[in-house]
Amino acid sequence: MNDQKYLILGANGQLGKQFAKDLTSRNEPVIAPDEKDCDITSIDTLSRFIDSVKPNVIINCAAYNAVDLAEQQSESAYLINAAAVKNIAMLCSDKDIFFVHYSSDYVFDGLKGDLYTEDDIPNPLNIYGKSKRVGEEAVLSSDGKYLLFRTSWVFGNGAQNFIHKMLQWSQKTPVLKLTADEVSVPTSTIDLVDITLRSIDKGLTGLYHLTNSDYASRYEWGRYIAKKLSLHSTIIPVPMSTFPSPAQRPLFSAMSNELLQNDLGYSIPNWRDAVDQFIIQYPMH
Ligand SMILES: NC(=O)c1ccc[n+]([C@@H]2O[C@H](COP(=O)([O-])OP(=O)(O)OC[C@H]3O[C@@H](n4cnc5c(N)ncnc54)[C@H](OP(=O)(O)O)[C@@H]3O)[C@@H](O)[C@H]2O)c1
């Protein structure tokens, strides 16, 4: 697709910021409102905003991502991750706009014991995952043209990413405990944006798993970050049961990105290279 005008929803989050930055530097027309200017839970606001901007592509980066808090605030999680997504999908279909949306590895229960593919049946364990699954169903049943990407362990610009947290924790404590039985795929917003735009350009539609390549435990990911940033803390592996939390999380929710790599004819960087590239683009010291 050429000559696109992009509307980025949730532009103040990790992924939204990266889209705004990269599309601007590619000189692509982009409108990137934050929640204050365009609240996705108000269909009237959304519809008016879309009519005033007239995008050809809407990329929804807005989400309710507080996995533990969602157990108490299920209404907010479903409103943002499911009801609003249904409205965006409907508006895109009515107004002939291409819709790009992101879901999560947490739609799976983590019991497969192997990489999840697009053919696997979701079975979310927590409210966040359930709300994201209802959002997926709304996109999958929409009449419009869409790309629905599942991703995992997203790290992007901002203080909430795991790389930044590792740096902060290591300044406070000499010993860091990280889970060795919690496994997924760290995925950089830089690659999420790049691969999304490649997919749009290539005319792909439908459901894909979009992660960096390879997978890691939280412990392995943390050790790699510590090495790259020369952190001095000792890192020890622990089971996930060491940290009881309100939301149950899948143990092995790593997904295969093979279908997307094949359909794109492109080799998606592995997560270690993605961490290296991220640290260069967003220096931590
Ligand atoms: N982060 C991960 O590890 C992860 C893992 C798997 C999948 N994903 C998915 O990947 C996508 C991007 O995630 P991310 O990490 O970039 O998320 P993020 O950093 O949490 O950003 C989400 C953004 O959505 C905004 N938002 C919340 N409610 C809104 C509303 N009603 N209207 C408009 N904006 C609203 C938030 O604004 P406030 O800051 O004002 O709340 C925030 O800026 C999401 O679909 C997420 O579910 C993320």
Side-chain angles (χ1 to χ4, degrees):
M1 280 196 237
N2 291 316
D3 300 327
Q4 298 301 353
K5 188 175 189 186
Y6 297 89
L7 170 59
I8 310 298
L9 300 172
N12 218 16
Q14 297 190 89
L15 184 57
K17 274 192 218 158
Q18 192 74 44
F19 267 112
K21 177 174 185 273
D22 291 355
L23 285 168
T24 304
S25 68
R26 291 177 190 209
N27 288 319
E28 299 274 4
V30 57
I31 296 94
D34 60 15
E35 181 177 355
K36 175 172 49 62
D37 293 326
C38 187
D39 180 343
I40 65 162
T41 61
S42 161
I43 187 164
D44 293 338
T45 307
L46 204 53
S47 185
R48 271 198 305 273
F49 201 94
I50 292 170
D51 288 342
S52 70
V53 166
K54 299 191 176 22
N56 325 82
V57 180
I58 292 183
I59 301 182
N60 181 31
C61 301
Y64 181 103
N65 278 333
V67 176
D68 285 320
L69 209 55
E71 298 297 309
Q72 292 164 30
Q73 298 184 345
S74 61
E75 221 172 283
S76 298
Y78 277 101
L79 188 63
I80 297 164
N81 292 342
V85 175
K86 186 175 182 182
N87 287 339
I88 304 169
M90 193 185 69
L91 289 169
C92 285
S93 170
D94 288 353
K95 298 174 197 281
D96 197 21
I97 297 167
F98 193 81
F99 182 32
V100 181
H101 179 66
Y102 298 87
S103 186
S104 166
D105 57 331
Y106 279 18
V107 298
F108 295 116
D109 58 20
L111 299 174
K112 183 180 175 187
D114 198 356
L115 296 174
Y116 282 97
T117 73
E118 289 79 353
D119 291 331
D120 287 316
I121 310 288
N123 182 32
L125 298 176
N126 55 45
I127 298 287
Y128 166 78
K130 287 176 187 169
S131 69
K132 292 297 281 186
R133 178 58 189 159
V134 178
E136 285 188 352
E137 285 165 345
V139 179
L140 291 166
S141 63
S142 94
D143 298 325
K145 273 192 151 189
Y146 65 82
L147 269 167
L148 170 59
F149 291 118
R150 290 192 185 120
T151 189
S152 61
W153 287 6
V154 174
F155 58 97
N157 190 13
Q160 82 265 45
N161 76 62
F162 187 61
I163 302 176
H164 199 272
K165 280 187 185 156
M166 281 290 299
L167 181 63
Q168 284 178 325
W169 292 333
S170 72
Q171 285 162 352
K172 286 187 199 142
T173 166
V175 178
L176 282 177
K177 292 180 189 167
L178 295 178
T179 50
D181 55 353
E182 185 187 14
V183 176
S184 191
V185 189
T187 301
S188 160
T189 55
I190 299 170
D191 289 317
L192 276 169
V193 168
D194 180 49
I195 306 296
T196 298
L197 297 179
R198 283 174 190 271
S199 304
I200 296 171
D201 284 348
K202 185 106 186 186
L204 301 187
T205 57
L207 169 69
Y208 286 97
H209 290 175
L210 196 186
T211 61
N212 277 116
S213 297
D214 206 355
Y215 59 89
S217 68
R218 186 75 66 172
Y219 168 72
E220 287 166 321
W221 187 19
R223 290 232 324 176
Y224 188 77
I225 294 165
K227 192 176 92 189
K228 283 283 152 187
L229 296 181
S230 305
L231 306 180
H232 296 300
S233 300
T234 303
I235 301 174
I236 54 172
V238 295
M240 199 149 65
S241 55
T242 311
F243 306 112
S245 61
Q248 194 188 344
R249 285 168 169 75
L251 282 173
F252 187 101
S253 56
M255 300 182 293
S256 164
N257 61 15
E258 199 181 321
L259 179 66
L260 184 54
Q261 297 206 62
N262 287 342
D263 287 1
L264 273 180
Y266 177 75
S267 176
I268 300 177
N270 72 53
W271 65 263
R272 291 176 187 82
D273 291 341
V275 169
D276 295 355
Q277 193 199 11
F278 183 81
I279 292 170
I280 292 167
Q281 189 166 135
Y282 299 104
M284 296 281 152
H285 295 289

